[in-house]
Amino acid sequence: MFRTALRNVSAHKARLLMTVLAVMLGVAFVSGTLVFTNTISEAFQKSSAKGFDQVDVAVEAEMQEDKGDTLGKRSELTQALLDAGAKVPGAASAVGVVEGYTAIADKDGKLIGGGFQSQGGNYWGAKDSRYPLTDGHAPRGANEVLIDSQTAKRAGYRVGDTVRISVDGPVLAPKITGIFTTDDGNVTAGGSLALFDTASAQQLFGKKGTYDEIDVRAKPGVSQTALKAELDKALPKDLVYTTTGQELADDQAEMISASMSGMKQGLLVFAGIALFVGTFIIANTFTMLVAQRTKELALLRAVGASRRQVTRSVLIEAFVVGAVAAVTGLVAGIGIGAGLRSLMGSFGATVPDGPLVITPGTVGAALAVGVLITMLAAWLPGRRAAKIPPVAAMSSLHAPATTKSLVLRNTLGALFSAAGVAVVLAATTMSGSDGQAPMGMGAALLIIGVFILTPLLSRPLIAAAAPVMRVFGVSGKLARQNSVRNPRRTAATASALMIGLTLITGMTVMAGSVQKSIDKMASSAIRADYVVRMANGNELSPDVEKKLRATDDVTAVSPLRNAPSRIGGGTEYLTGVTGDAIGKLTDLKVDNGSFEVGGTQVVVDRTTAKSHGWKAGSGFTVAYEDGKKQALTVAGVYEGNELIQGILLDNATLSPHQSDLADMQVMVKTSDGASDATKDRLEKALGSNPAIKVQSKQDLSDDVAKMFTLMLNMLYGLLAMAVIVAVLGVINTLAMSVFERSQEIGMLRAIGLDRKGIKRMVRLESLVISLFGGVLGVGLGVFFGWAAGELIGTSLPTYELVLPWARMAVFLLLAATVGILAALWPARRAARLNMLTAIKSE
């Protein structure tokens, strides 16, 4: 039986080719993902580890606990602590580290690094071996700065150039006095790093006389743990805690691994989808091969082969196919991993140098996935083959599916579908986080149920295309009849395409609806013409508000300033606003009372008011971060949203209790309204700062649209693999169907159907099957998109369902295109059959 199985594989190489390709693509996706993420993770881990080579023990500030109404603060690392750390036994040196956000503009005024990886710090001079200088000298004073070599290369900066820099809003223009190299992971990932002298860094980052961290080097022969023990003895435990450099490196490696894990899991999900779609092709292929070898298998049974041996022979064939596909997929996956790493550079992301990482786990996973998926998908056809009675050798015909089996299948499919719909509908009544798991389970049940019912659904849905098919005459009629001749085969072929289009449609519906809801939120909640914020979301300097207020045509300005407080024994964040201006800048629905902010009058969003049992006129006592208390009164309760929520009070009341004033954003209204000229005027008032965004409501909407478009394009690209596999499935089914119907096609040619008619028949059959899968996929996608939207709507009050009719039409057009393209080769092959040879074939 083993030799028979190998001979069968060899005899059906062409028919198994598409199956091999489908499995190979899925395996390549899996192995490519593992190679890529492992390579990137190891490169960043090694790069970050180099950054800790100069740190034996790090001293960091301890967070103090809340005591009653007094908020706990992080202790400060003072010069005295630095000096004490440098004097402990075993310490060779100690340096204080100052860090903060520092945006660097290129020569065209554009932000380098996108803002999120733009960092700054202090340089310790000649003894600072973390950042060795390659050119120039150390900075002296606030008007001098060092920049990293990669940033200098990207922007074309040299020593002596003046560079535009922003720390918290206002623009600085220091001179570049030196360029240094660094293994900092943020820089290698495409960010930037600027270094000032220590005093200037402390001043710029609001840490006068203090440090963010103290790094201590050990003397030769002193271990990190021994030095840590000495520091723990010498430094106050209630103010600081210590960590060895090795522990920091291990923690950083774990963080990098965890961050890569999310990407890996996401990519593997799409690889799993492609493999799941591939199982339909495998099952279809082996079902058709078994059907074509009915006589052969029955004769094997007649000469003594047992059912188990017949099943085993089919599984051996699947093993060989899976092994070939797995090996070629692994090789292709290694190439994909290397290609993805190179591709990152074209998107502006820089990856640290390092070898391509191919672990035994990657090899094992690729081989296991390819072989197991193929064998599992082929098991059911093999089991069916074993049930062929020896007497079937007389006729070489499969026993048709019994009425009992069809009733059982349809009943099972109906139960799964009903259970899936019920669970999904139940999940829509739950809150966002609680409903996620039930909705996922319900979606899985519904997809399984629809797949089981697809043979039943195929007849009425394909019959609906009959009026159109009549236009094509005899070819159209034959194509429709061929489509429903074997409903199970049609179902398996269409289901592969259905799954991909279900996911694509569902995500498109959700993304469009969420974008619309955010647009609606911005337009309904904000009256301001512009919102000003830092590019990376960091805090703004209060100077920004002052400059905006002094600008011509500005009629109202309000910063939004966050501050922690203690209310009723718990921590609550307050939002400071300009009391006499906030009403002109927002349009928030007031449920109770009035929207009056000033003095001790505050307004509270509905959720916060409900949690405390407040209403208009309620009073409460707040303890500010400086420990002082004040009685406040609720003037009104408003409907909050993702943009504005919480307790709003006047900055004139809040600011005296804050040690460091900083704004999250500033809202601006002008006499001329939003226009390009007004926006330019505001940007110039802020020094044309690349680190600051001046955004109108339309700009905010466009940002959301860009985010969703990017996300959707990425998801479409990842799901393209599943669609390609589905196309291979349609090609494979049609090609094998043509072979199976060779005699019939020969007869059609003999009685007058020309080659064009044969081609048209095969193409129309493919088109009908593909559109059948497309209609099911779009329909399920809309249902899942609606259901997920109901879940999102529990936390997004402005959510409303938006059906992207144009895109859904494109998806159906895509399904039709898939059908036409997939039929090109099978149709050509059918038309070229010799009619006499075909008639004589069995």
Side-chain angles (χ1 to χ4, degrees), residues 472-480 753 756-758 760-761 764:
F472 298 96
V474 174
S475 296
K477 183 178 181 180
L478 290 171
R480 184 179 63 81
L753 191 62
K756 286 185 179 179
I758 294 293
R760 191 180 301 121
M761 178 187 73
L764 288 173

Side-chain angles (χ1 to χ4, degrees), residues 604-832:
V604 185
D605 73 300
R606 185 190 300 166
T607 304
T608 304
K610 185 177 180 181
S611 66
H612 288 283
W614 295 338
K615 58 183 180 180
S618 297
F620 63 93
T621 301
V622 60
Y624 297 107
E625 58 181 307
D626 63 355
K628 295 181 180 179
K629 297 181 181 180
Q630 187 174 26
L632 301 176
T633 303
V634 177
V637 177
Y638 67 94
E639 184 179 325
N641 54 53
E642 296 296 316
L643 301 176
I644 302 174
Q645 57 186 317
I647 302 172
L648 307 185
L649 76 162
D650 199 337
N651 275 323
T653 304
L654 175 64
S655 298
H657 302 285
Q658 292 182 277
S659 55
D660 297 313
L661 298 182
D663 303 325
M664 294 305 299
Q665 62 185 35
V666 180
M667 304 175 78
V668 183
K669 192 168 184 62
T670 62
S671 57
D672 295 337
S675 67
D676 291 340
T678 303
K679 185 175 181 179
D680 288 342
R681 197 157 50 245
L682 294 177
E683 288 177 341
K684 287 178 181 177
L686 297 174
S688 300
N689 192 329
I692 295 180
K693 285 185 175 182
V694 179
Q695 294 180 296
S696 65
K697 286 187 280 189
Q698 185 60 49
D699 293 331
L700 292 172
S701 177
D702 290 344
D703 272 1
V704 173
K706 286 178 184 176
M707 179 183 70
F708 280 114
T709 300
L710 177 62
M711 178 190 73
L712 278 177
N713 288 339
M714 289 175 61
L715 293 175
Y716 289 160
L718 293 169
L719 285 170
M721 184 70 73
V723 175
I724 291 171
V725 173
V727 172
L728 293 176
V730 178
I731 295 172
N732 202 36
T733 300
L734 289 173
M736 295 187 74
S737 179
V738 166
F739 177 84
E740 194 176 70
R741 302 192 326 247
S742 295
Q743 190 177 57
E744 175 189 319
I745 291 171
M747 289 295 294
L748 289 170
R749 289 289 316 284
I751 62 175
L753 191 62
D754 60 12
R755 290 188 174 183
K756 286 185 179 179
I758 294 293
K759 285 184 179 179
R760 191 180 301 121
M761 178 187 73
V762 176
R763 288 170 183 164
L764 288 173
E765 181 182 347
S766 175
L767 179 63
V768 168
I769 293 173
S770 297
L771 281 174
F772 171 52
V775 169
L776 287 179
V778 171
L780 282 174
V782 169
F783 176 70
F784 291 141
W786 165 81
E790 291 296 302
L791 212 57
I792 295 170
T794 60
S795 57
L796 199 59
T798 55
Y799 183 88
E800 64 176 84
L801 180 67
V802 176
L803 293 180
W805 295 106
R807 290 207 178 190
M808 289 192 292
V810 170
F811 297 154
L812 288 176
L813 183 61
L814 172 65
T817 305
V818 164
I820 293 170
L821 294 177
L824 291 178
W825 177 62
R828 185 169 177 269
R829 184 182 176 201
R832 295 180 66 183

Side-chain angles (χ1 to χ4, degrees), residues 18-32 271 274-275 325 328-329 332-333 336 720-726 728:
M18 295 300 172
T19 302
V20 171
L21 284 174
V23 179
M24 185 199 76
L25 286 173
V27 172
F29 205 153
V30 171
S31 54
L275 285 167
T328 53
I336 289 172
M721 184 70 73
V723 175
I724 291 171
V725 173
L728 293 176

Side-chain angles (χ1 to χ4, degrees), residues 307-637:
R307 287 188 174 186
R308 185 173 295 177
Q309 285 178 310
V310 172
T311 303
R312 194 181 301 148
S313 72
V314 176
L315 291 178
I316 290 170
E317 293 177 44
F319 175 81
V320 173
V321 171
V324 172
V327 172
T328 53
L330 175 61
V331 175
I334 293 170
I336 289 172
L340 285 174
R341 175 176 171 173
S342 300
L343 192 63
M344 288 186 70
S346 65
F347 288 113
T350 308
V351 180
D353 292 332
L356 205 62
V357 179
I358 306 167
T359 64
T362 299
V363 176
L367 296 177
V369 164
V371 173
L372 288 177
I373 290 291
T374 309
M375 292 184 70
L376 285 173
W379 174 77
L380 189 58
R383 185 169 173 271
R384 285 181 190 155
K387 289 184 175 181
I388 299 171
V391 74
M394 301 289 185
S395 60
S396 74
L397 292 173
H398 255 314
T402 63
T403 303
K404 181 180 177 181
S405 69
L406 292 175
V407 169
L408 178 63
R409 177 180 181 127
N410 293 337
T411 303
L412 191 63
L415 289 173
F416 268 96
S417 299
V421 170
V423 173
V424 168
L425 292 177
T428 60
T429 63
M430 302 178 185
S431 62
S433 57
D434 295 336
Q436 290 176 2
M439 183 163 291
M441 183 177 70
L445 288 172
L446 181 54
I447 288 176
I448 293 170
V450 170
F451 168 64
I452 296 172
L453 285 175
T454 306
L456 179 66
L457 297 172
S458 64
R459 290 187 179 276
L461 288 178
I462 291 177
V468 178
M469 301 297 277
R470 289 196 193 101
V471 175
F472 298 96
V474 174
S475 296
K477 183 178 181 180
L478 290 171
R480 184 179 63 81
Q481 290 175 346
N482 288 334
S483 300
V484 295
R485 177 189 294 184
N486 192 328
R488 289 184 175 180
R489 184 185 303 170
T490 298
T493 307
S495 294
L497 192 58
M498 176 192 79
I499 291 169
L501 287 180
T502 295
L503 294 170
I504 290 173
T505 305
M507 289 184 297
T508 303
V509 170
M510 282 191 292
S513 300
V514 170
Q515 181 183 330
K516 179 72 174 178
S517 67
I518 292 176
D519 291 349
K520 185 178 178 181
M521 182 191 301
S523 61
S524 63
I526 299 177
R527 288 180 181 170
D529 296 318
Y530 293 98
V531 175
V532 180
R533 63 183 72 185
M534 293 293 281
N536 70 332
N538 273 16
E539 296 176 330
L540 285 163
S541 166
D543 290 342
V544 171
E545 180 212 349
K546 295 176 183 176
K547 290 182 178 180
L548 290 170
R549 194 180 293 278
T551 305
D552 293 340
D553 301 327
V554 171
T555 58
V557 177
S558 175
L560 270 65
R561 189 172 295 168
N562 286 352
S565 69
R566 298 284 287 180
I567 299 174
T571 301
E572 290 276 2
Y573 273 84
L574 308 173
T575 301
V577 297
T578 301
D580 58 0
I582 192 64
K584 303 173 186 176
L585 299 167
T586 59
D587 189 15
L588 299 169
K589 180 182 177 183
V590 179
D591 294 337
N592 181 239
S594 60
F595 198 83
E596 295 180 11
V597 180
T600 59
Q601 297 279 100
V602 302
V603 292
V604 185
D605 73 300
R606 185 190 300 166
T607 304
T608 304
K610 185 177 180 181
S611 66
H612 288 283
W614 295 338
K615 58 183 180 180
S618 297
F620 63 93
T621 301
V622 60
Y624 297 107
E625 58 181 307
D626 63 355
K628 295 181 180 179
K629 297 181 181 180
Q630 187 174 26
L632 301 176
T633 303
V634 177
V637 177

Side-chain angles (χ1 to χ4, degrees), residues 1-9 293 296 300 313 317:
M1 294 303 293
F2 181 74
R3 288 196 299 272
T4 301
L6 292 181
R7 287 195 190 103
N8 282 326
V9 172
R293 286 159 43 201
E296 174 191 330
L300 286 172
S313 72
E317 293 177 44

Side-chain angles (χ1 to χ4, degrees), residues 11-52:
H12 301 121
K13 293 189 292 289
R15 294 182 230 176
L16 291 168
L17 177 62
M18 295 300 172
T19 302
V20 171
L21 284 174
V23 179
M24 185 199 76
L25 286 173
V27 172
F29 205 153
V30 171
S31 54
T33 295
L34 295 175
V35 169
F36 171 66
T37 52
N38 289 339
T39 298
I40 299 298
S41 180
E42 184 166 306
F44 276 116
Q45 286 177 20
K46 288 183 177 179
S47 176
S48 65
K50 290 179 182 178
F52 297 109

